[in-house]
Amino acid sequence: AISSEAINMQLSLPKRRRLFIMRHGEVAYFDGSGAPFRPDVVPLTPRGQQQAQAAGQALADVPFDRAFVSPLLRTHETAELVLSG
């Protein structure tokens, strides 16, 4: 038999949370002329934007409490597109 104290402890536990870990969308590390981008400012390609938008659509019904991203441009772009979906 389970004690009423054990039942009360179970009822007061926080809800389960899910952690989603995602990589940024596609990037190109070189511009059209072959010159490298600075690694900290590499933007998403149009395909990378589409990938992030598709992830946002797939996760549209998931309520997110927080989003953590690195300071890199590509991660910010990805997060904005995913969370706007």
Side-chain angles (χ1 to χ4, degrees), residues 9-80:
M9 284 181 57
Q10 287 179 338
L11 294 176
S12 65
L13 292 176
K15 282 184 164 182
R16 229 166 89 179
R17 297 201 184 263
R18 291 182 181 178
L19 175 65
F20 293 86
I21 299 174
M22 181 179 296
R23 184 170 166 78
H24 57 77
E26 180 185 82
V27 297
Y29 291 98
F30 299 90
D31 67 17
S33 67
F37 283 110
R38 282 188 16 225
D40 58 330
V41 296
V42 175
L44 294 178
T45 63
R47 182 168 184 232
Q49 292 170 351
Q50 291 173 342
Q51 291 168 338
Q53 289 168 342
Q57 290 170 358
L59 298 169
D61 294 333
V62 176
F64 286 94
D65 295 329
R66 291 180 181 86
F68 298 94
V69 297
S70 77
L72 300 174
L73 174 62
R74 57 192 175 265
T75 63
H76 283 263
E77 287 181 304
T78 301
E80 286 176 14

